[in-house]
Amino acid sequence: MRARLRLAFVLFLLCAGCGTIKNAAQKDRAEDRPLSLSDDEVRFARALAHYGQGLIYQDSFGGTSPAVAKDLAEAATNFSAALDLDPHTARLYPALAVVYLSLKENDKAVEVLRKACLANPGRVQPMIDLAVACEKTGRPDEAITFFRRALKLSPKMEGIYRELALIYFQQKKNDQVLALLKEGINHVAPPDSIVNFCYNMGKLYESVGMEDHAVKFYKLAGTSKAKWPDPFVRIASIYMKKDMPKALRTVDHALESMPDEPKLLFLLALLYNNDKQFEKAINAFQRIEKTAEKSEQGDSK
């Protein structure tokens, strides 16, 4: 169905073009002027024809038979011909690169996307495409280089920080992850998406047993977003395993800016109870009750 639709679209373009040429020819005959197209117009028409043909062959994606491979090769040939005729059309580069990736010709895919960056200097999307292609084809160091270049072009694009942070994490470059997310928080406006990602990175580090690194990310998240108790709850939960006084100080410090936060008060009561400071635990539970009463009174007004 997609192939038929695309074929119909190409035929529509050709028919529309023929109609335009026919009308122009009639006008030229009426005025005794010969019909002519510029070299640029001819190149564009030929490039469009190759691109349309490439799209038709590209519909064979998803299989592994020799016939499919042949169609993909034909798609690559047509997209490549379109690029030779019209190297300034940005969409042609990723189309050809995707075909090469499907053919497992990774070097060719990366080379095409390098050319896209050269043909479109100052544009961030070609650089991102190149970085992603390098990452997906097992070239993490090159991916880092190109993601970094993309950040220079667009330092407010939060998605780049996330992709790059995950590569650093896989390479166990933990300090680079933290520094990168600090950079993102300073540049992305509003920074909430980066802050939330930083919190999730903390959970990721905690899940693999790297609790010291997890605490760093939770602290960054907690200090970068006002009145958010969750990072401090997780920090205290980590500390309580080995250092109860430190866990208590963490919750007390968080309560300075969030004095009526139920999550913090409940955790404080539990910590005091586990530390056998029962009177303080009771006081913490009483604070929870008072906070609940205030909330109910506020709702009833």
Side-chain angles (χ1 to χ4, degrees):
M1 177 61 73
R2 287 179 59 201
R4 291 178 180 176
L5 289 174
R6 284 180 174 167
L7 180 58
F9 175 68
V10 172
L11 290 174
F12 171 77
L13 288 177
L14 293 175
C15 291
C18 290
T20 302
I21 293 173
K22 182 178 179 181
N23 292 336
Q26 289 174 347
K27 183 177 179 181
D28 285 338
R29 284 198 297 272
E31 299 178 6
D32 295 325
R33 290 199 305 270
L35 174 65
S36 63
L37 294 174
S38 70
D39 290 342
D40 286 342
E41 290 171 330
V42 171
R43 278 195 300 272
F44 175 76
R46 291 175 61 196
L48 180 61
H50 281 296
Y51 179 62
Q53 190 71 13
L55 290 177
I56 293 170
Y57 281 115
Q58 193 182 35
D59 272 329
S60 296
F61 277 17
T64 58
S65 68
V68 170
K70 182 179 178 181
D71 283 348
L72 291 176
E74 289 288 350
T77 298
N78 279 279
F79 285 146
S80 182
L83 262 178
D84 290 340
L85 291 163
D86 186 14
H88 301 295
T89 297
R91 74 178 65 179
L92 296 176
Y93 292 93
L96 179 56
V98 168
V99 175
Y100 280 142
L101 289 172
S102 298
L103 290 168
K104 309 299 182 184
E105 297 182 9
N106 296 337
D107 290 344
K108 288 184 178 180
V110 170
E111 183 58 30
V112 166
L113 295 174
R114 287 180 188 273
K115 291 180 179 178
C117 294
L118 293 174
N120 298 275
R123 291 190 59 183
V124 67
Q125 191 57 52
M127 194 65 68
I128 293 174
D129 292 342
L130 177 56
V132 171
C134 288
E135 179 187 0
K136 301 305 181 185
T137 56
R139 309 170 191 218
D141 291 335
E142 291 180 71
I144 289 172
T145 297
F146 296 126
F147 273 130
R148 277 294 185 185
R149 291 181 186 177
L151 275 180
K152 289 183 179 179
L153 293 171
S154 186
K156 295 182 180 181
M157 187 175 290
E158 56 93 13
I160 302 176
Y161 292 96
R162 290 189 280 108
E163 293 295 330
L164 188 50
L166 290 173
I167 297 175
Y168 279 142
F169 174 78
Q170 291 169 356
Q171 293 190 331
K172 299 181 180 180
K173 295 180 178 179
N174 305 310
D175 292 338
Q176 285 91 327
V177 179
L178 188 64
L180 176 72
L181 294 181
K182 286 181 179 179
E183 180 183 343
I185 289 171
N186 290 332
H187 285 94
V188 175
D192 289 0
S193 60
I194 296 294
V195 174
N196 292 339
F197 182 75
C198 187
Y199 174 75
N200 288 327
M201 286 299 298
K203 292 171 66 176
L204 184 58
Y205 277 104
E206 187 177 358
S207 70
V208 296
M210 301 177 68
E211 293 183 342
D212 290 343
H213 286 288
V215 167
K216 293 179 182 179
F217 286 91
Y218 289 142
K219 284 183 177 180
L220 179 58
T223 56
S224 301
K225 187 174 180 179
K227 297 185 178 180
W228 188 20
D230 295 41
F232 299 101
V233 170
R234 298 199 76 98
I235 293 170
S237 297
I238 291 173
Y239 283 154
M240 67 180 288
K241 299 174 184 177
K242 297 179 180 179
D243 192 337
M244 185 63 75
K246 204 169 186 178
L248 288 167
R249 288 197 298 272
T250 297
V251 178
D252 281 334
H253 176 71
L255 283 168
E256 291 176 4
S257 58
M258 296 171 278
D260 297 325
E261 174 52 53
K263 287 183 180 180
L264 293 173
L265 289 172
F266 188 74
L267 179 58
L268 182 65
L270 289 179
L271 291 175
Y272 277 134
N273 185 68
N274 290 346
D275 199 39
K276 303 188 184 313
Q277 299 187 51
F278 300 118
E279 186 174 347
K280 290 184 177 181
I282 292 171
N283 291 336
F285 280 121
Q286 289 175 342
R287 287 177 64 181
I288 296 173
E289 292 177 2
K290 291 178 181 179
T291 299
E293 290 174 0
K294 281 186 191 178
S295 178
E296 290 175 0
Q297 292 173 358
D299 292 340
S300 64
K301 291 182 180 178

